[in-house]
Amino acid sequence: MRLILCLFGLVVSSQVHAQLHFASFGHAGSGCPRGSVAFSPAPDRQSVSVLFDQFSVQVPQFDGVNENDDRSPHRSPRARSDARTQHRLCSLVFNVELAPGQMVEALEVTGDNRGTTVLDAGLTASLHTYYVGHRGLGAAPPPHAMVGKLIEMKQWGQANRHAAPVSDDWSSRFLTAVPVRSGCAQTANRSIRLEFKTHLEIQNTTADQTKTGLLVMDSTDLNASLRIRVLTRPCGSTSAPGRVVRR
């Protein structure tokens, strides 16, 4: 089964433009290798678009380009050479600078993804997107295995040789608020680093190594599949908790 290239993107914007700007961006992982991600900040540095030109998993896999050995709450680690499993992730990092006297209250995250999943009987596949957490402004660096808040999850197939094959052209839409409550930005310390991770995984749970499967994700348009607003407020003020809506 051939690898299908796909495209999806992410847009991050601020609620109050005067209170922050995006200073730098980064990415890592086999799901978004070097050269596959384009960051396009707006002229005023208040928002950024991120486009990917490749994110998919398939089995059998033989090149070992994966994070099969990654450990997280939704999976157990496996060998990168295991042809029956391919787990890829993409880590996105945004370094944001706040105006002194401001803090990050929450992130408002909306998603609009689509993709294709094709599995022989007995194969499983999954999609997980997490807000890992933030560093700076009073937050300690998260442990390597920390995944933070789950903001998107989809699963396909059953680990049963009698299960039906899967052929699904799917879409996923959601809106959620992620509390952050950072420390207060000061003139000499006003940077905060936000991190997100998306995991794609496909597994052959049967003894038949000829079975094949593919999971590929792209966006419903060429502009964004994930949008994030950074909600700030003056330090010392109070505000109502962010609401969470899923659809």
Side-chain angles (χ1 to χ4, degrees), residues 175-198:
L175 167 62
T176 186
V178 181
V180 175
R181 298 293 180 92
S182 75
C184 185
Q186 303 175 11
T187 301
N189 178 24
R190 59 193 187 98
S191 296
I192 184 170
R193 173 173 167 164
L194 309 173
E195 184 175 358
F196 295 82
K197 282 186 179 181
T198 295

Side-chain angles (χ1 to χ4, degrees), residues 89-219:
L89 64 83
C90 180
S91 175
L92 297 175
V93 173
F94 304 90
N95 293 306
V96 180
E97 292 189 355
L98 303 181
Q102 293 288 315
M103 63 178 289
V104 177
E105 173 73 9
L107 305 175
E108 186 178 87
V109 185
T110 62
D112 194 354
N113 295 320
R114 68 183 179 188
T116 299
T117 305
V118 181
L119 306 174
D120 285 345
L123 272 65
T124 62
S126 63
L127 157 66
H128 294 79
T129 298
Y130 295 95
Y131 170 62
V132 177
H134 73 276
R135 304 186 189 204
L137 297 184
H144 174 71
M146 177 181 173
V147 293
K149 180 179 175 62
L150 177 66
I151 59 177
E152 182 181 20
M153 179 180 70
K154 289 187 72 67
Q155 297 177 311
W156 298 266
Q158 296 180 352
N160 185 328
R161 64 188 179 89
H162 300 296
V166 174
S167 180
D168 185 20
D169 292 324
W170 53 269
S171 62
S172 174
R173 296 180 178 180
F174 61 89
L175 167 62
T176 186
V178 181
V180 175
R181 298 293 180 92
S182 75
C184 185
Q186 303 175 11
T187 301
N189 178 24
R190 59 193 187 98
S191 296
I192 184 170
R193 173 173 167 164
L194 309 173
E195 184 175 358
F196 295 82
K197 282 186 179 181
T198 295
H199 303 250
L200 296 186
E201 183 168 25
I202 191 167
Q203 292 189 47
N204 179 1
T205 60
T206 75
D208 185 352
Q209 300 304 299
T210 66
K211 290 180 178 290
T212 62
L214 172 71
L215 167 59
V216 59
M217 184 171 75
D218 61 16
S219 64

